[in-house]
Amino acid sequence: MKKFEGLLFCTDLDGTLYTSNKTVSKENLDAIEYFKSEGGLFTFITGRVPATSQYICDTIRPNAPFGCLNGGGIYDPENGQYLWRAFLPREAIELVRAVDQRLPAIGIQYNTEKQVYFNKDNPAMAHFRAVTGLPYVACPYEAVEEPVLKIVFAHDDERQITALMQLLNAHPLASQVEFIHAERRLYEILPKGASKGALLCKMADLFGIRPNKTIAVGDYYNDVSMLKTAGLGFAVANAAADVKAAADHVTVSNNEHAVAAVIDGLDRGIYRL
């Protein structure tokens, strides 16, 4: 039996596997190849949609399908299809209308299976496109006919994001969906029950891995459920304080080859499952 056989390693991308300049270090890539060569399953769970994940698949070559949409889907890049995904209820449009009417400066984005629509643009959404490379496909949210996987709101001013959070959490429909602060500029609506932690359990079951044989690494609030659910949860040194508190261990920063450090610790028996 190989050293990492029966283990599932899931990493976050931005702020965790990626360095601050949006690259993956050679140290991380070499460690990932070693982990896979010793029988481990290595993949990632991200807030991104599959359309923005092809580069990372080509770079790290996961040997298992990956989690996307902050817990809303499992995607198989080999076959180019979802293995599982969840949809928002049609009533979620009422949450969007409330934001549009009361916080008109907030950017709005709809994510469907095949398209990302920019329903209302602003500088934060323009930054999002610059980082992800997504094309600018404009469409009023009322005109989106396909089932929606998640809704993203964006603004550069954290005070606007705070006001957005308060508005959405106080809405009568709040209990029918999930909200997640995915990044400093971004706040999202997800299907009820969707989270990175719940998705980690689904992925482990799908791949035939025991839940207590999973490893997760992350840095932000949307990673907390994943770190708590994993057999071993690691926060990077650059993570928010609440994220570190949720983890079993705190490792080095994203700029110091955090994934490689965790794999090395597993290899040397410092961390045990």
Side-chain angles (χ1 to χ4, degrees):
M1 183 174 178
K2 294 185 176 181
K3 181 172 287 189
F4 300 131
E5 194 170 332
L7 300 185
L8 172 62
F9 194 123
C10 293
T11 182
D12 172 55
L13 296 182
D14 298 292
T16 302
L17 179 62
Y18 280 151
T19 62
S20 296
N21 62 0
K22 302 297 181 183
T23 61
V24 182
S25 70
K26 183 179 185 301
E27 289 83 352
N28 277 339
L29 291 174
D30 288 347
I32 291 167
E33 287 303 311
Y34 173 64
F35 183 84
K36 293 188 296 182
S37 74
E38 286 293 331
L41 292 180
F42 188 94
T43 189
F44 56 93
I45 300 180
T46 179
R48 298 175 183 227
V49 295
T52 66
S53 302
Q54 188 58 51
Y55 170 76
I56 192 63
C57 287
D58 293 342
T59 301
I60 70 171
R61 297 185 296 172
N63 59 347
F66 64 86
C68 53
L69 297 155
N70 272 322
I74 301 171
Y75 191 81
D76 183 357
E78 290 292 321
N79 297 315
Q81 64 184 16
Y82 284 94
L83 301 182
W84 175 86
R85 71 268 192 262
F87 297 106
L88 283 165
R90 293 292 299 177
E91 293 79 10
I93 194 172
E94 298 303 326
L95 292 159
V96 179
R97 285 198 182 103
V99 173
D100 192 21
Q101 292 169 6
R102 296 180 58 181
L103 296 169
I106 297 285
I108 303 169
Q109 173 198 134
Y110 268 33
N111 291 248
T112 68
E113 280 193 89
K114 297 183 178 180
Q115 190 61 263
V116 175
Y117 295 106
F118 292 90
N119 315 106
K120 194 169 189 179
D121 208 26
N122 67 2
M125 283 298 182
H127 174 81
F128 180 91
R129 288 195 298 277
V131 170
T132 62
L134 281 168
Y136 180 35
V137 179
C139 179
Y141 58 85
E142 299 96 335
V144 176
E145 297 181 350
E146 306 104 294
V148 178
L149 296 164
K150 75 170 182 174
I151 297 167
V152 181
F153 300 103
H155 202 281
D156 287 325
D157 189 337
E158 291 186 20
R159 293 170 296 182
Q160 286 278 320
I161 296 295
T162 298
L164 169 71
M165 294 165 63
Q166 293 171 345
L167 172 62
L168 289 174
N169 281 279
H171 196 280
L173 294 177
S175 63
Q176 296 185 26
V177 296
E178 304 289 347
F179 302 121
I180 191 70
H181 197 180
E183 190 256 300
R184 183 182 66 82
R185 297 178 177 88
L186 306 178
Y187 197 67
E188 300 181 358
I189 303 178
L190 303 175
K192 187 69 177 177
S195 71
K196 285 191 175 185
L199 196 68
L200 179 62
C201 289
K202 286 183 181 292
M203 292 168 70
D205 182 63
L206 181 67
F207 307 153
I209 302 292
R210 287 185 289 166
N212 66 334
K213 294 295 184 179
T214 58
I215 305 117
V217 190
D219 76 303
Y220 208 66
Y221 300 112
N222 58 331
D223 298 317
V224 166
S225 64
M226 178 173 72
L227 302 188
K228 286 184 174 180
T229 301
L232 278 176
F234 294 84
V236 289
N238 51 290
D242 289 349
V243 181
K244 291 178 181 177
D248 297 303
H249 303 281
V250 177
T251 187
V252 298
S253 78
N254 65 316
N255 292 322
E256 299 171 287
H257 330 300
V259 167
V262 172
I263 292 173
D264 179 66
L266 291 167
D267 190 40
R268 293 192 289 138
I270 297 172
Y271 308 124
R272 297 181 182 276
L273 285 159

